[in-house]
Amino acid sequence: FYTVNGFSIAASGASTVCASNPATLTASGSASSYTWNPGNISGTVAVVNPAATTIYTLSGSSGTCVTTRTVQVTVNPSPTV
């Protein structure tokens, strides 16, 4: 958890996925609202399917205070069979 101005948030999720597979990102903490970017996804859970390695930023707000955390999802090529 990362505490700023009296409230805290945490961001977690799959750190590595194979291409074409989704990753689930989860927000927790004491913010009243959460937004994930890129994608402008609202809520504590975001299911994303990045085509390439992407850093997602979680913004948590409580009143006029906002704090952010990041999660990187690394995309590996799909295995050849």
Side-chain angles (χ1 to χ4, degrees):
F1 281 95
Y2 181 65
T3 303
V4 172
N5 297 325
F7 74 100
S8 61
I9 66 169
S12 62
S15 58
T16 303
V17 295
C18 288
S20 300
N21 288 327
T24 300
L25 307 177
T26 304
S28 60
S30 58
S32 57
S33 66
Y34 299 93
T35 304
W36 295 93
N37 279 298
N40 197 31
I41 302 166
S42 296
T44 57
V45 176
V47 178
V48 297
N49 197 356
T53 297
T54 304
I55 296 174
Y56 290 88
T57 300
L58 170 65
S59 297
S61 62
S62 182
T64 59
C65 297
V66 176
T67 191
T68 60
R69 299 296 286 161
T70 59
V71 169
Q72 178 172 307
V73 178
T74 301
V75 178
N76 289 332
S78 295
T80 54
V81 180

